[in-house]
Amino acid sequence: MISGRNISKSYGKLQALQNVSIACNSGEICGLVGANGAGKSTLFKILLGLVSADSGTITLQGEGAKKIGGIIEKPSLYPYLSARENLRVFAKMQNAAADNKAIDEALLQVGLSLDREDPSRNYSMGMKQRLGIAVALLNKPSCLLLDEPFSGLDPVGIQALKKLIVSLAKDYGMAILISSHIVEVLSTLCSKLFVIHNGEILQQGPTQAILSKCVKSYTLCGNDLQKVSFLKKYSAAPHANCITIPASATEISGIIFKLSEQGIAITSCTPRLDVAQLFKATAV
């Protein structure tokens, strides 16, 4: 649904992007991960048509008046207007339907209340993100770009926004491309990952295949783990009912099996990512 091929962009002597290629299919959630200044926002601005690339091609597929919508860095809203008023203003700008029924549908699509009439400046960051997404979805685009949508959100807000993103991809078949420096969030949300560093794509492919190379330890949670004698040889670091163990995927599977033989039930097993390894690995 969205594809960028060999995109390059320079600002004077600064090479912001160099031969970047990226693509996301209908119903797919793709992640673009990189540190601040890696080129994520520049790439998104080019894909949205806000900035011109020096070279490269962009292909957008889909029906309707608007093929792509997005949020760059943070939602651009009129803080003195309510959610309903913001949507009506932006709808008129885009020649989209602005009647009460259309606005109600836009609010419900992102899980916002139909009754709230106070200014959007009173909204939480999570609600502002939802309203920004509602604006981006006006005129029913086939592709959605979200630049750092989880910044400033608490864990509850992150989970709520993840649920909304999944529903948009599943229920509407949207191609959704998300940029973030929070790798842990993208790891549970995106089926495909692009790793960008200094304006170049270092890696791309299935998310778990890329991240598995960056896992050096696992955190196991369960009762009485600190009392298990054989775990001591792994230099396990205990905390509460959990233990972090330096181990490979194969080793951790064997450890869990051995614990089950001793009657120890594991309630969770979480890989711990060494994010720095993402930017050292060679391209896939």
Side-chain angles (χ1 to χ4, degrees):
M1 300 300 289
I2 180 171
S3 174
R5 300 290 182 187
N6 301 318
I7 297 174
S8 294
K9 178 67 179 179
S10 295
Y11 295 99
K13 295 182 179 180
L14 175 63
Q15 184 79 47
L17 297 173
Q18 185 172 350
N19 292 322
V20 169
S21 294
I22 194 167
C24 193
N25 296 319
S26 175
E28 189 175 35
I29 303 173
C30 302
L32 176 67
V33 61
N36 292 334
K40 303 189 302 297
S41 294
T42 298
L43 176 59
F44 273 28
K45 289 175 182 178
I46 290 173
L47 293 174
L48 285 167
L50 302 176
V51 172
S52 297
D54 297 334
S55 60
T57 59
I58 297 169
T59 302
L60 299 174
Q61 298 181 12
E63 301 176 354
K66 185 171 73 172
K67 291 182 173 61
I68 188 169
I71 300 175
I72 299 295
E73 296 176 351
K74 64 179 181 179
S76 296
L77 303 170
Y78 293 99
Y80 52 88
L81 298 180
S82 68
R84 184 178 295 278
E85 291 167 337
N86 265 284
L87 283 170
R88 185 166 286 112
V89 168
F90 283 107
K92 290 180 179 179
M93 289 180 182
Q94 299 182 32
N95 292 320
D99 57 275
N100 288 334
K101 180 181 178 181
I103 299 301
D104 285 352
E105 290 176 351
L107 290 170
L108 291 173
Q109 186 177 18
V110 298
L112 288 176
S113 171
L114 299 181
D115 301 323
R116 189 160 178 174
E117 296 293 343
D118 57 318
S120 60
R121 62 170 171 261
N122 297 337
Y123 293 5
S124 67
M125 190 61 209
M127 290 182 64
K128 290 177 182 177
Q129 289 286 14
R130 286 173 179 268
L131 181 53
I133 292 174
V135 172
L137 293 178
L138 291 170
N139 267 327
K140 298 178 173 56
S142 302
C143 308
L144 179 65
L145 304 188
L146 300 176
D147 184 25
E148 297 287 355
F150 304 104
S151 295
L153 299 185
D154 59 21
V156 174
I158 289 175
Q159 291 303 316
L161 184 54
K162 284 172 60 178
K163 185 177 180 181
L164 171 60
I165 291 169
V166 169
S167 70
L168 290 174
K170 181 180 179 181
D171 298 339
Y172 299 93
M174 299 187 69
I176 301 179
L177 184 57
I178 304 170
S179 80
S180 181
H181 62 279
I182 310 176
V183 182
E184 289 78 7
V185 175
L186 296 185
S187 70
T188 59
L189 184 61
C190 302
S191 60
K192 187 164 62 179
L193 203 63
F194 297 85
V195 181
I196 188 170
H197 184 61
N198 290 336
E200 296 184 72
I201 298 293
L202 297 185
Q203 299 190 76
Q204 58 180 294
T207 299
Q208 296 310 315
I210 290 177
L211 296 183
S212 64
K213 295 178 289 186
C214 305
V215 176
K216 302 300 181 183
S217 62
Y218 291 80
T219 296
L220 299 179
C221 294
N223 294 327
D224 300 323
L225 286 175
Q226 291 85 350
K227 298 178 182 179
V228 179
S229 58
F230 81 85
L231 291 178
K232 295 178 181 179
K233 70 176 181 179
Y234 293 99
S235 301
H239 42 93
N241 291 327
C242 301
I243 290 181
T244 298
I245 301 174
S248 66
T250 302
E251 288 173 325
I252 204 67
S253 296
I255 291 170
I256 293 173
F257 179 75
K258 193 171 181 179
L259 289 170
S260 67
E261 289 185 321
Q262 297 187 17
I264 304 295
I266 299 301
T267 57
S268 67
C269 176
T270 307
R272 313 304 296 181
L273 297 175
D274 182 359
V275 177
Q277 293 297 319
L278 276 176
F279 308 111
K280 294 180 181 178
T282 55
V284 175

